[in-house]
Amino acid sequence: MEKSLKEAMAAAIRKQQAAQGEARKLAALHQRLDVKNERLLFAADDVPEGLVEGLETIKTADGLAQAVTPILEQAETVREDVDRRRSACDEQREKFRTYCEKNVADVKLRSSIVDGLRYKRDYTAYLEWQDKSRERLERVISVSEEERQSHCAHLEHMLNHMILHLQDVCTGLGELAAKTRIKIGETTKDIFQIQVPPWQDAAARTSIRDYLNALTAELDRADEGEEPEVKSRAILEKKLRT
């Protein structure tokens, strides 16, 4: 009787020690999962719960650890891939933001693009912002195209007037020698000897158009600094003197 009681007590102690050992292993596994969760965020509120197949049949802490380890390793691999992709995305976002700050002339459009690139992190919100930015960009392009066509029509109108004026000047220079010729005795003398080359319409139009475009670009640069009106007037006065 006494021997049976001792054996029962020893068995109970072994079970208690085994249970305590399992509890320590489970606590260590739980701590390990907490550490992993700080990086992987698999226990976040927005992550749906799920049960790994076969996990409910495992009865020991060692078995759980053995089953969880490859899942954590796979999650680490996925997280590293996500980090690489996110880093590449951030790099491209920063390059595009810098490009827009330097090259997008429209102030409102530039501000919208830069703010969206800087602050939009949720994918759904980013897609909505992208659609709105595309619509805004299409409107800006449409307005810019209308302005460009209007500018081209105005430039062409000015060009035609300048061409007509230059043709009159060339004709006048060609006639100047005959109109100022004087007679001395039996001969005539030319006061002016002017040789006017043949008129080349295409070359003349290209030259005048290039000149006007260069002048427009110079005036645009003057508008960007201080006292744009004074600078623009000085540019035009210099051109008129030369």
Side-chain angles (χ1 to χ4, degrees):
M1 180 70 178
E2 183 178 353
K3 182 178 180 181
S4 298
L5 182 59
K6 289 181 177 179
E7 290 177 350
M9 291 181 63
I13 291 173
R14 288 194 297 271
K15 287 183 179 181
Q16 183 181 14
Q17 291 175 340
Q20 291 173 346
E22 283 291 300
R24 287 191 296 270
K25 291 179 180 180
L26 287 173
L29 178 59
H30 192 276
Q31 184 178 6
R32 179 188 174 192
L33 292 173
D34 283 341
V35 172
K36 291 292 185 180
N37 182 56
E38 292 179 1
R39 169 173 166 76
L40 302 177
L41 301 178
F42 50 78
D45 294 337
D46 57 347
V47 176
E49 294 183 1
L51 183 64
V52 179
E53 184 178 355
L55 202 62
E56 70 278 5
T57 62
I58 300 175
K59 303 301 183 182
T60 64
D62 290 337
L64 285 174
Q66 187 176 359
V68 166
T69 295
I71 298 174
L72 291 176
E73 291 175 349
Q74 183 180 7
E76 284 282 2
T77 301
V78 172
R79 178 55 190 263
E80 290 173 359
D81 184 57
V82 169
D83 288 344
R84 283 194 299 270
R85 292 172 182 266
R86 178 174 294 157
S87 178
C89 181
D90 289 342
E91 182 179 352
Q92 293 300 319
R93 180 188 291 112
E94 183 63 21
K95 288 182 179 179
F96 186 59
R97 184 187 65 80
T98 302
Y99 172 83
C100 291
E101 287 182 335
K102 292 181 178 179
N103 296 280
V104 177
D106 186 274
V107 177
K108 290 184 178 180
L109 179 62
R110 181 174 65 244
S111 177
S112 174
I113 293 175
V114 171
D115 289 346
L117 291 170
R118 182 175 292 153
Y119 301 117
K120 298 295 183 183
R121 296 296 175 180
D122 179 77
Y123 187 64
T124 302
Y126 176 80
L127 290 179
E128 293 176 355
W129 165 81
Q130 180 178 265
D131 292 338
K132 292 180 180 179
S133 296
R134 183 182 292 109
E135 293 175 359
R136 188 178 292 110
L137 181 59
E138 289 174 351
R139 288 196 300 268
V140 171
I141 291 174
S142 178
V143 172
S144 298
E145 181 62 21
E146 291 177 0
E147 292 179 350
R148 186 192 69 82
Q149 291 177 358
S150 176
H151 173 74
C152 289
H154 181 63
L155 180 62
E156 197 65 25
H157 181 72
M158 291 178 58
L159 185 61
N160 289 332
H161 279 282
M162 296 178 74
I163 289 293
L164 291 174
H165 176 68
L166 287 175
Q167 287 176 336
D168 289 340
V169 170
C170 290
T171 301
L173 289 174
E175 296 173 350
L176 184 61
K179 290 182 178 181
T180 58
R181 188 177 296 126
I182 61 174
K183 188 174 183 180
I184 302 175
E186 299 297 327
T187 62
T188 58
K189 296 290 185 179
D190 291 335
I191 296 177
F192 299 103
Q193 292 183 348
I194 303 173
Q195 293 182 347
V196 180
W199 177 262
Q200 296 180 352
D201 191 75
R205 289 179 178 275
T206 299
S207 180
I208 296 172
R209 190 177 287 109
D210 291 344
Y211 175 83
L212 292 176
N213 286 334
L215 177 59
T216 301
E218 189 173 358
L219 292 174
D220 287 342
R221 288 193 296 271
D223 288 340
E224 296 176 357
E226 297 180 357
E227 299 182 342
E229 294 182 359
V230 176
K231 291 182 178 180
S232 297
R233 186 181 302 112
I235 291 171
L236 293 175
E237 290 176 350
K238 180 179 178 181
K239 295 294 183 181
L240 290 174
R241 286 195 301 269
T242 56

